[in-house]
């Protein structure tokens, strides 16, 4: 009966019906032994979790790394889930994985980041699932490519999969960061805006790469109205066969979930709603001012482009760009703005400024205005 109820909660979650937030998925990075899986699930069952996860096949970067226990782990996970009344999910990357998972009665499948990045692999999975009624979760691709993420989901939808969720696990970056995989929160937020009916789950374990910041990232996800969390949990993280630094033990998982705060997404209180609307009106006014200022800045950029054309100067001036970065980030820090934010902002502004100057310098005067307008239209 308990397992049946949990299956109903899965159905409610994927269909977008009412469910208790957050929908929590927990379990080890990798299934290692029958005892390890059973003991981990036993500990996790004491927490308010909705589903158990474990990696059976592990796509590792180096060939000599542990690449998963294989099909036998499916039985361990399924049996542990049944014993404690919890449905289970595993990652699949090809047709043979799907066949094995379905044979062992796995409840939910997920597609990993290394697979989402490859449309050929995603299409193979979609074809293998044609006519199969099973929920599927799709992690974001390794690179910050929103269209690739959405495209993977669309392939599954075209194959007939109706119950789909998205998992945000962060993105690879060459920049130094406190994260293992940068969250780039703006991408999942845009995903949710464009796909409001698809549940969005956060995987803070992979985003953080270490346990110390998992609580912070998980809370941030809930504050952004995510629907669920996937948290790697191991009975003995220090001796885990993979990703030991980012796995909690069951007691830590329970503590984390206990300390999470669920925010009210509705502002039904009249006074509260009025105050919020006043603040939003202020933001709207400031946004208009920002747009006006940016428009003036680009107008000056075009004048600079004319000057450089007349004097045969190159568009990109490294010394000037370094000056802008140093002065703007320094001034912005005095205004409680982070360096990371300012770098993103002025990189975007600089890119557009170079574009505006380029049109001024390389197009005939009679076609400048039309060409710029055409470019702006194509970007929309």
């Amino acid at each position: 009966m308990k397992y049946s109820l949990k299956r109903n909660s899965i159905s409610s979650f994927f269909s977008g019906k009412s469910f208790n937030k957050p929908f929590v998925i927990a379990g080890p990075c990798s299934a290692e032994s029958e005892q390890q899986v059973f003991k981990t699930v036993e500990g996790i069952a004491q927490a308010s979790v909705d589903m158990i996860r474990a990696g059976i096949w592990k796509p590792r970067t180096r060939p000599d790394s542990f690449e998963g226990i294989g099909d036998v782990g499916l039985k361990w996970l399924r049996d542990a889930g049944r014993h404690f009344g919890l449905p289970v999910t595993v990652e699949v990357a090809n047709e043979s994985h799907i066949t094995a998972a379905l044979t062992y009665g796995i409840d939910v499948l997920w597609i990993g980041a290394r697979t989402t990045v490859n449309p050929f692999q995603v299409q193979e999975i979609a074809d293998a699932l044609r006519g199969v009624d099973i929920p599927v979760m799709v992690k974001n691709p390794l690179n910050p490519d929103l269209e690739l993420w959405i495209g993977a989901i669309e392939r599954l939808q075209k194959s007939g999969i109706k119950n789909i969720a998205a998992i945000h696990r962060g993105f690879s970056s060459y920049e130094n960061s406190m994260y293992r995989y940068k969250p780039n929160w703006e991408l999942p937020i845009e995903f949710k805006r464009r796909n409001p009916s698809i549940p969005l789950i956060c995987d803070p374990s992979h985003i953080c790469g270490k346990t110390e910041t998992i609580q912070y990232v998980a809370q941030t996800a809930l504050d952004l109205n995510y629907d669920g969390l996937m948290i790697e949990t191991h009975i003995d993280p220090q001796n885990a066969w993979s990703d030991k630094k980012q796995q909690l033990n069951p007691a830590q998982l329970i503590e984390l979930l206990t300390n999470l705060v669920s925010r009210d997404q509705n502002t039904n209180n009249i006074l509260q709603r009025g105050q919020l609307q006043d603040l939003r009106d202020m933001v709207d006014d400031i946004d208009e001012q920002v747009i006006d200022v940016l428009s003036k800045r680009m107008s000056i950029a075009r004048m600079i482009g004319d000057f450089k054309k007349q004097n045969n100067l190159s568009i990109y001036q490294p010394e000037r760009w370094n000056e802008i970065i140093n002065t703007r980030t320094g001034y912005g820090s005095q205004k409680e703005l982070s360096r990371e934010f300012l770098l993103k902002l002025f990189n975007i502004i600089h890119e557009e400024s170079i574009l505006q100057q380029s049109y001024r310098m390389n197009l005939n005067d009679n076609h400048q205005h039309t060409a710029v307008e055409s470019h702006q239209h194509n970007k929309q």
Side-chain angles (χ1 to χ4, degrees), residues 363 365-376:
L363 295 176
D365 292 341
N366 292 335
H367 297 90
Q368 285 173 359
H369 184 68
T370 302
V372 171
E373 284 188 340
S374 175
H375 168 73
Q376 298 297 342

Side-chain angles (χ1 to χ4, degrees), residues 293-304 356 360:
V293 170
L294 288 174
S295 177
K296 292 177 182 177
R297 195 185 195 284
M298 292 308 155
S299 177
I300 296 173
R302 290 190 289 273
M303 294 169 62
I304 291 174
Q356 296 281 349
R360 285 289 186 174

Side-chain angles (χ1 to χ4, degrees), residues 3 15 44 60 126 186 203 247 282 371:
Y3 177 69
S15 65
I44 290 172
R60 313 311 289 175
E186 67 276 9
D203 175 357
Q247 299 190 70
M282 292 169 63

Side-chain angles (χ1 to χ4, degrees), residues 200-221:
L200 182 60
I201 298 166
C202 182
D203 175 357
S205 302
H206 277 89
I207 289 174
C208 295
K210 56 183 182 294
T211 58
E212 292 84 352
T213 50
I214 289 177
Q215 178 88 43
Y216 169 74
V217 171
Q219 184 62 62
T220 300

Side-chain angles (χ1 to χ4, degrees), residues 73-88:
L74 293 169
K75 181 180 184 304
W76 303 339
L77 185 64
R78 180 201 63 192
D79 291 350
R82 299 295 188 271
H83 183 85
F84 292 102
L86 292 166
V88 297

Side-chain angles (χ1 to χ4, degrees), residues 10-11 14-16 108 133-137 160-165 199:
I10 289 178
S11 176
F14 281 92
S15 65
V108 177
D133 183 17
I134 188 170
V136 180
M137 302 182 292
I161 298 296
K162 296 182 175 61
N163 294 321
I164 298 176

Side-chain angles (χ1 to χ4, degrees), residues 160-175:
I161 298 296
K162 296 182 175 61
N163 294 321
I164 298 176
I167 303 176
H168 170 219
R169 51 85 76 194
F171 304 88
S172 294
S173 173
Y174 64 88
E175 300 172 350

Side-chain angles (χ1 to χ4, degrees), residues 277-330:
Q277 188 58 52
D278 289 343
L279 292 171
R280 287 174 173 172
D281 289 343
M282 292 169 63
V283 168
D284 291 343
D285 290 341
I286 293 173
D287 284 348
E288 289 184 3
Q289 296 175 41
V290 169
I291 292 172
D292 288 340
V293 170
L294 288 174
S295 177
K296 292 177 182 177
R297 195 185 195 284
M298 292 308 155
S299 177
I300 296 173
R302 290 190 289 273
M303 294 169 62
I304 291 174
D306 292 338
F307 180 87
K308 288 178 178 178
K309 181 178 181 179
Q310 294 167 8
N311 292 274
N312 198 31
L313 298 174
S314 64
I315 294 177
Y316 178 53
Q317 301 285 326
E319 296 83 3
R320 171 58 176 165
W321 176 229
N322 286 330
E323 178 190 351
I324 289 174
I325 288 296
N326 292 331
T327 58
R328 276 42 165 192
T329 56

